[in-house]
C-alpha cells in the first residue's frame, strides 16, 4: 500500500509541475504542500474527493479549495482492494516524525540554519519533493543539487529502486532501451509495410522513400493505422521503461516517415519530433522547444493558440492510441504492474491538453490503460498459444466480439459504474476460457463417462431390485473408487499451485486474437528479463520444467526461457529484442539456448558488452540480441563493445561503426564475436590444435574442506602436532592457496592441510579414524566440532574431509592454476603439494609443453574468446573452458626446444625468455606479423 500511496503523490507532483508550466509559472497552481494538505485526512480528500471525482460531483467546499485541479479519470485514484479491507491513507498517524537522513538533500539544505530536528513524516515528503524540479526534459542521473530536474526516466529509476529489484529484475539504462527499441521496432515497422503492400523495403530509409509520394490525407491516416496495429509486449515489464521507450520510438518513426498527423490526417509540419536522453523532444524548425501554455485574459478567461492546441492534442492522442492499442506488459510482481501503469499515465500527462469545449479549464481525461498491464507469471500457462479451445464454448464468436468490445469500452469510459460492469463481464469471459483447461476437461470427460457407466450398470439395476453377486460387488467398488479418484484429480488440477500465477497468453490480450479467436501474436517482444539461476528456484523451477521449454536446463538461468517464450509469442517473421546476461553464449548450460537460436530463430544483431558493466545495481556481463521468428540465414551482425567505451551514450554510434557480419555459429561451441582478422587467427588455432579434452590428461579441482580454519594450519600448529606425536606427520600435507601461484612459480607459504580423508572405496582405502589413530589431531579439530558437524562437505564422521576419489593425484607431478585471474598463471608442481578449492590442476603427459601454451599470450587471447568472466573483469579458468583450448600435438624436436625454455623459466622467470617462447608458439600456428601484432596489442 505504501507504494500505491507514493505512486499517487509522485503523480500529483508531476501534475502540479505540468499545471504550473502550462500557466507560465503561476504559483497559484501549487497544491502539494503543507499549506494545502496539512495531514493525512486532507491527503485522503485529495485522492478520493478531488482526483477521483469529476468537477461537477465535488462538494462546494472541495470545488472552492481545489478548483484548479482537473479530473483525470485515472484508476490510480480509486480505492484499491487492499485499502478497502485494511488501511487507507487517512488511517496513518499524523503525529509521527522522521529523522533527517544524513545524505538527504533536506539535511544539506538545513545545515545553514542548523535546524536538523525530526520532521513530520508527511511534511518531510512534501518538502523533499519540493527540493527537486519535476520538469519534462533532463537526464536520468539524479544529482542532488538545487532543483535537480526529475523527469519520467528518473522516476523509472526511482520506482525500480523503491521496488527493490525483486524477482531478478534490474533497471535498464536509457541508452540501452532507446537502442533496443529503435533497432527492433523499426525492423517490425518495415516488415509490417512489406507485408501489407508487398514492398521490399530493407530499412526505414527505404520505407521513407516509398511513402514520399503518398502523402494525401487518406494515405496518411491509412499508414498511421498500420503502424498502430503493431503490438509490442514486455513479458517482464518492471517499471515499464521499455514500453515508454517503445512509445517514444513509434511516434518518432511516424515523424521521420512524415506521417505524424492529427485526427484529420493533417501533418504536423511545423515541428520536429525526435528522441534525446530517452525522452520525446518536440522542437520548432528554428530548434526552439515546443511548449504548451495557456494565456489568461484580463477578464480571467483562457486562450491557447490554435496551432499549439492542435500539436498538443495530436501528441496526446498519438500517445493515447499507442498506449491503448500497441503496448502491453506482464510482470510477476504486482507492484511492478502498478508502477508501469503509473509511468504510462505520466507519459500521457506530459502532453495533456485543456479541452476547448470547456473554455480551456478542464484537461482531457486519461484512459483506463491498466487493462494492458497485467499481473502474472509470463512463463507459466495452462494453455499453449495455439490450443484449439473455442469449439467447446457455446456461441463463441459472439462472445469473442463482446469481449473485444468490452475491453475497448473499458479503456475509454469515464463512468466508474460502467467500468466496474465491464470489468465484471471481462472477468466472467476469461474465467469461461480458463474452465477449458485441457488437464481439467480431460478428467471431466472421463468422470462423466464413468458416471454414465455407473448409472447404467448399477442405478438401473436397483430399479428392478436385483441382487449383485460377489463379482458384481467388487466391480462396482472398483468403478466407485475410479470415479472418486477422477473427482480428486479434477480438484487437484483446479487447485494446482503450479498455476497460481499463470498468465494465459492465449486469451488475456484480445488485441492479438483474430476474428476466429486464433492467437496471431505480437510484432515485437522486448525487454530485460530477470536473471535467476534455475537451480536456486526450488519448486518454481519444477513448475517451469513442465512448460515444455527446449531451453530449460537445471543449471541454467530463467532468462533463457524468456528467449524461447518470446518466439512463441511472436507473429511469424517478426522480432524480439532482449538484453540479458551473456553467459548463454559460452557456458555449458547455454548449449540448449544456442541450439534453439540456430534452429528456431534468425539472429540478426548480437552485441556483446564483454567486461563493460551496464548495470549499476548488478555485476553481470551482458549482451543484446535482436532476432527474428524466421528461418536462420546464418548471417548475424555482431559487435563487441570496447571496454574503454566510457559513457553508454556513445554505445549506439560505436555499434553502428563497428558492426560486422558473422556466420558459422554452432550450438556445441561458444559464440564469440570477432573481427575478420580475429576470426582468421581463431580458425588457425583450431585447425592446427586439438582441444585439451581430447588429450591424455585429467583435470581436477583442489580440496573443499568445508571449514578451512580447522583443516588449514600454519607452520607453528603443524610443528606442535608433530611434536605431540610424530605419527601425525602421516596426515599433514603441504598445501598451496590461490595467492601462492604465479606464472611459472608456485611459492609454498608454510601452510598445511590436515588430510583426514574419507577413504577411497574403489581402492579399498578406509577413512581416517582420527580419534583412534591421531588423538592430538582429534583434540585440535574438536575445538571446531560444532562448525564441522554442520558442514555439508564432510565425510562419514565430522572429523573427516569429504570424499575425494582422486586424492592420490595430488602426489603426482602436475600443472596448477587458480580459477579467477585476469591473466594466465600456470605453474608446474613437482613437490606433491595439496591444493585448496580455488585451484585446479592437470595431470598427464607433455606437461611442460602444455605449460608453455597455457602461459602464452596466444592462449590468453584465445581464452578471452571462449571463456566467460566472473562479472568483475576476471576470467574463470575452469575445466569446461580449459577443455576447449586447442594445442597442437608436438613432435619431439619442437617439444624438446619448448621444454628447455620452460625449465629455465621454472628456475627463474625472465621476460625476454618468456617472449621468445611466445614467438615459437606463434611460429607453430604460422601467424602473420599482422596477426601477431593484434595478439600483442589486444586489450584483454
Amino acid at each position: 500500500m505504501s507504494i500505491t500511496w507514493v505512486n499517487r503523490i509522485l503523480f500529483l507532483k508531476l501534475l502540479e509541475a505540468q499545471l504550473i508550466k502550462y500557466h507560465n509559472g503561476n504559483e497559484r497552481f501549487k497544491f502539494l504542500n503543507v499549506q494545502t494538505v496539512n495531514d493525512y485526512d486532507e491527503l485522503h480528500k485529495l485522492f478520493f474527493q478531488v482526483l477521483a471525482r469529476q468537477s461537477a460531483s465535488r462538494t462546494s467546499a472541495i470545488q472552492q479549495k481545489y478548483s484548479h485541479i482537473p479530473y483525470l479519470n485515472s484508476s490510480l485514484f480509486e480505492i484499491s482492494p487492499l485499502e478497502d479491507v485494511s488501511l487507507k491513507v487517512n488511517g496513518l498517524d499524523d503525529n509521527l516524525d522522521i529523522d533527517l537522513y544524513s545524505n538527504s538533500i533536506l539535511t544539506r539544505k538545513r545545515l545553514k540554519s542548523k535546524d536538523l530536528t525530526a520532521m513530520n513524516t508527511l511534511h518531510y515528503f512534501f518538502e523533499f519533493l519540493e527540493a527537486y524540479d519535476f520538469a519534462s526534459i533532463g537526464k536520468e542521473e539524479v544529482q542532488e543539487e538545487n532543483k535537480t530536474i526529475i523527469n519520467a526516466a528518473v522516476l523509472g529509476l526511482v520506482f525500480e529502486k523503491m521496488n527493490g529489484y525483486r524477482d531478478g529484475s534490474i533497471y535498464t539504462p536509457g541508452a540501452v532501451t532507446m537502442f533496443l527499441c529503435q533497432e527492433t521496432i523499426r525492423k517490425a515497422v518495415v516488415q509490417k509495410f512489406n507485408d501489407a503492400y508487398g514492398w521490399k523495403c530493407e530499412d526505414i530509409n527505404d520505407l521513407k522513400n516509398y511513402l514520399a509520394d503518398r502523402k494525401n490525407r487518406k494515405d496518411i491516416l491509412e499508414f498511421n493505422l498500420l503502424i498502430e496495429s503493431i503490438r509490442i509486449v514486455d513479458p517482464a515489464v518492471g517499471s515499464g521503461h521499455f514500453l515508454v521507450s517503445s512509445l517514444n520510438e513509434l511516434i518518432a518513426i511516424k515523424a521521420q516517415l512524415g506521417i505524424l498527423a492529427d485526427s484529420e490526417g493533417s501533418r504536423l509540419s511545423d515541428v520536429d519530433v525526435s528522441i534525446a536522453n530517452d525522452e520525446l523532444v518536440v522542437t520548432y524548425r528554428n530548434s526552439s522547444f515546443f511548449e504548451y501554455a495557456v494565456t489568461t485574459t484580463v477578464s480571467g478567461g483562457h486562450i491557447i493558440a490554435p496551432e499549439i492546441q492542435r500539436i498538443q492534442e495530436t501528441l496526446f492522442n498519438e500517445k493515447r492510441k499507442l498506449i491503448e492499442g500497441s503496448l502491453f506488459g506482464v510482470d510477476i510482481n504486482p507492484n511492478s504492474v502498478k508502477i508501469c501503469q503509473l509511468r504510462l499515465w505520466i507519459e500521457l500527462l506530459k502532453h495533456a491538453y485543456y479541452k476547448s469545449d470547456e473554455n480551456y479549464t478542464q484537461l482531457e481525461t486519461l484512459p483506463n490503460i491498466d487493462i494492458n498491464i497485467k499481473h502474472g507469471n509470463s512463463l507459466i500457462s495452462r494453455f499453449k498459444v495455439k490450443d484449439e479451445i473455442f469449439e467447446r464454448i457455446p456461441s463463441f464468436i459472439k462472445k469473442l466480439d463482446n469481449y473485444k468490445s468490452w475491453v475497448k469500452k473499458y479503456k475509454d469510459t469515464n463512468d466508474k459504474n460502467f467500468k466496474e460492469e465491464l470489468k465484471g463481464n471481462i472477468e466472467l469471459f476469461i474465467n469461461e476460457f480458463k474452465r477449458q483447461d485441457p488437464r481439467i476437461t480431460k478428467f471431466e470427460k472421463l468422470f462423466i463417462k464413468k458416471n454414465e457407466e455407473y448409472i447404467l450398470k448399477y442405478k438401473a439395476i436397483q430399479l428392478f431390485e436385483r441382487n449383485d453377486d460377489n463379482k458384481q460387488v467388487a466391480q462396482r467398488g472398483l468403478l466407485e473408487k475410479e470415479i472418486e479418484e477422477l473427482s480428486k484429480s479434477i480438484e487437484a488440477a483446479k487447485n494446482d499451485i503450479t498455476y497460481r500465477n499463470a498468465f494465459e497468453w492465449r486469451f488475456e490480450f484480445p488485441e492479438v486474437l483474430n476474428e476466429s479467436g486464433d492467437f496471431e501474436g505480437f510484432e515485437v517482444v522486448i525487454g530485460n528479463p530477470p536473471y535467476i539461476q534455475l537451480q536456486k528456484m526450488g519448486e518454481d523451477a519444477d513448475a517451469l520444467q513442465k512448460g515444455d521449454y527446449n531451453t530449460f536446463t537445471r543449471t541454467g538461468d530463467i532468462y533463457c526461457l524468456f528467449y524461447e517464450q518470446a518466439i512463441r509469442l511472436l507473429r511469424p517473421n517478426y522480432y524480439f529484442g532482449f538484453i540479458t546476461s551473456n553467459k548463454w553464449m559460452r557456458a555449458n548450460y547455454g548449449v540448449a539456448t544456442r541450439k534453439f537460436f540456430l534452429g528456431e530463430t534468425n539472429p540478426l544483431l548480437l552485441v556483446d558488452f564483454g567486461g563493460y558493466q551496464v548495470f549499476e545495481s548488478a555485476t553481470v556481463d551482458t549482451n543484446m540480441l535482436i532476432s527474428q521468428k524466421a528461418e536462420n540465414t546464418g548471417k548475424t551482425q555482431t559487435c563487441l563493445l570496447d571496454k574503454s567505451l566510457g559513457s553508454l551514450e556513445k554505445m549506439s554510434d560505436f555499434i553502428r561503426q563497428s558492426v560486422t557480419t558473422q556466420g558459422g555459429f554452432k550450438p556445441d561451441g561458444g559464440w564469440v564475436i570477432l573481427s575478420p582478422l580475429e576470426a582468421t587467427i581463431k580458425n588457425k588455432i583450431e585447425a592446427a590444435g586439438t582441444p585439451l579434452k581430447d588429450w591424455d590428461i585429467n583435470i581436477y579441482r583442489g580440496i573443499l574442506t568445508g571449514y578451512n580454519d580447522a583443516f588449514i594450519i600454519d607452520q607453528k600448529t603443524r610443528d606442535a602436532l608433530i611434536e605431540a606425536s610424530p605419527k601425525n606427520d602421516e596426515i599433514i600435507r603441504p598445501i598451496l592457496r590461490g595467492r601462492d601461484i604465479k606464472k611459472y612459480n608456485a611459492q609454498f607459504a608454510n601452510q598445511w592441510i590436515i588430510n583426514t580423508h574419507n577413504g577411497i572405496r574403489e581402492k579399498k582405502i578406509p577413512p581416517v579414524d582420527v580419534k583412534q589413530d591421531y588423538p592430538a589431531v582429534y583434540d585440535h579439530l574438536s575445538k571446531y566440532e560444532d562448525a564441522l558437524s554442520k558442514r555439508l562437505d564432510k565425510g562419514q564422521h565430522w572429523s573427516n574431509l569429504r570424499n575425494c576419489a582422486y586424492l592420490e593425484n595430488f602426489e603426482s607431478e602436475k600443472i596448477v592454476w587458480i580459477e579467477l585471474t585476469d591473466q594466465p598463471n600456470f605453474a608446474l608442481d613437482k613437490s606433491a603439494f595439496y591444493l585448496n578449492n580455488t585451484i585446479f590442476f592437470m595431470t598427464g603427459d607433455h606437461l611442460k609443453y602444455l605449460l608453455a601454451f597455457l602461459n602464452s599470450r596466444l592462449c590468453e587471447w584465445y581464452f578471452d574468446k571462449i571463456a566467460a568472466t566472473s562479472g568483475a573483469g576476471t576470467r574463470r579458468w575452469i575445466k569446461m573452458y580449459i577443455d576447449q583450448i586447442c594445442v597442437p600435438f608436438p613432435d619431439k624436436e619442437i617439444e624438446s626446444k619448448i621444454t628447455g625454455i620452460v625449465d629455465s623459466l621454472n628456475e627463474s622467470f625472465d621476460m625476454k625468455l618468456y617472449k621468445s617462447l611466445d614467438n615459437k608458439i606463434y611460429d607453430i600456428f604460422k601467424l602473420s606479423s599482422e596477426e601477431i601484432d593484434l595478439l600483442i596489442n589486444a586489450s584483454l
Side-chain angles (χ1 to χ4, degrees), residues 846 849 888-898 924:
H846 309 287
Y849 174 79
F889 287 119
D891 60 38
K892 290 184 179 179
E893 181 181 353
I894 291 175
E895 184 170 18
S896 177
K897 290 178 180 179
I898 286 178
I924 291 173

Side-chain angles (χ1 to χ4, degrees), residues 11-40:
F11 181 86
L12 290 175
K13 191 64 182 177
L14 283 159
L15 173 61
E16 179 188 73
Q18 285 294 94
L19 293 175
I20 294 170
K21 179 183 171 185
Y22 287 173
H23 293 272
N24 303 298
N26 190 335
E27 296 285 313
R28 186 176 73 88
F29 288 88
K30 279 193 171 185
F31 60 88
L32 206 61
N33 49 55
V34 296
Q35 290 75 31
T36 308
V37 182
N38 190 50
D39 55 28
Y40 290 115

Side-chain angles (χ1 to χ4, degrees), residues 57 192 253 405 410 412 513 584 821:
S57 301
K192 198 74 173 177
I253 288 171
S405 174
Y410 178 90
D412 294 334
L513 305 180
W584 66 268
T821 177

